[in-house]
Amino acid sequence: MTTFAIVHGAGDVGWSWHLVATALEAKGHTVVAPDLPTEDETKDLTDWASTVVAALPSTEDVVVVGHSFGGLVAPLVAAQINAKALVYVTAMLPKPGETPGDWWEKAGYTDSGLEDQFWHDVPPDLAAESQQRERGMSEHAMGVPWPLDAMPDLPTHFVLCTNDRFFPPTFMRRVVADRLGIEPVELAAGHCAQLSKPEELATILASYA
């Protein structure tokens, strides 16, 4: 069966994907969701991608999934291993030469102004645990240009979360159209769909196996 390589978002950890992992494993798949070295000022996106690749039991039949900031890292993983497919989940989409720090302005991001932009639809116990596991982000990595000349040429999908308060759907639809040119699959969930709608998200991901 397929191995899903999960690239978590900024300040996050692989734990956030444990419910999706359980659901995918119940379908016979393998899931790898390592903690990225996001706090290490000596490392950048390329090093983070290498962390994911090193965690894989095999590079055969792998679907790479990038969530939020992980969208900048997932295509680097996919390119290294010639992945079967690449899936973005309410994720940042890079352009060659663009730094992570510049992405927000270049993509035309505007804060929604809404409160609780991450955990508003996540069960309270999971939201509390997620917040306790938050980590810092390397400032160095924010200034290093995205290294690929183009997005990897492989089947690519985008899961757009229609209740997302951090990357609102109107903004995200425009970014997906501009930077990927594909039609996203929509999921009625907030930014942390992996915690609020894990079964539904796992079903979508499994369809790309």
Side-chain angles (χ1 to χ4, degrees):
M1 300 294 278
T2 297
T3 296
F4 286 86
I6 309 294
V7 187
H8 66 68
D12 205 358
V13 290
W15 169 89
S16 292
W17 286 81
H18 71 283
L19 297 175
V20 174
T22 297
L24 286 171
E25 288 163 358
K27 300 177 187 293
H29 302 296
T30 298
V31 179
V32 172
D35 292 351
L36 305 181
T38 60
E39 296 175 291
D40 190 335
E41 290 291 345
T42 69
K43 299 185 183 301
D44 57 32
L45 302 185
T46 300
D47 300 301
W48 300 1
S50 295
T51 298
V52 178
V53 173
L56 290 170
S58 168
T59 57
E60 297 295 322
D61 195 15
V62 177
V63 172
V64 181
V65 181
H67 173 244
S68 194
F69 191 94
L72 304 184
V73 182
L76 305 183
V77 177
Q80 281 193 47
I81 64 172
N82 191 26
K84 179 179 182 177
L86 174 58
V87 186
Y88 298 95
V89 178
T90 190
M92 297 166 69
L93 299 173
K95 281 189 174 181
E98 189 175 81
T99 69
D102 288 340
W103 182 89
W104 310 89
E105 181 180 356
K106 299 289 187 183
Y109 179 76
T110 301
D111 191 291
S112 68
L114 296 171
E115 296 183 358
D116 189 4
Q117 296 186 2
F118 297 99
W119 299 283
H120 62 94
D121 63 339
V122 175
D125 58 329
L126 291 174
E129 179 75 11
S130 180
Q131 291 174 63
Q132 289 175 4
R133 292 174 180 266
E134 280 188 288
R135 297 184 297 151
M137 286 286 289
S138 159
E139 291 186 13
H140 164 70
M142 297 304 100
V144 178
W146 196 70
L148 298 185
D149 293 330
M151 287 288 203
D153 184 15
L154 49 83
T156 301
H157 312 276
F158 195 99
V159 180
L160 187 147
C161 296
T162 58
N163 298 327
D164 195 338
R165 295 178 177 179
F166 184 60
F167 288 157
T170 300
F171 162 74
M172 208 73 261
R173 288 189 188 99
R174 177 172 52 77
V175 173
V176 173
D178 175 51
R179 299 194 170 207
L180 284 183
I182 64 174
E183 190 70 26
V185 170
E186 298 195 356
L187 175 64
H191 194 70
C192 296
Q194 70 274 21
L195 293 174
S196 63
K197 293 290 183 67
E199 293 286 343
E200 294 88 340
L201 181 54
T203 296
I204 293 173
L205 296 179
S207 72
Y208 303 131

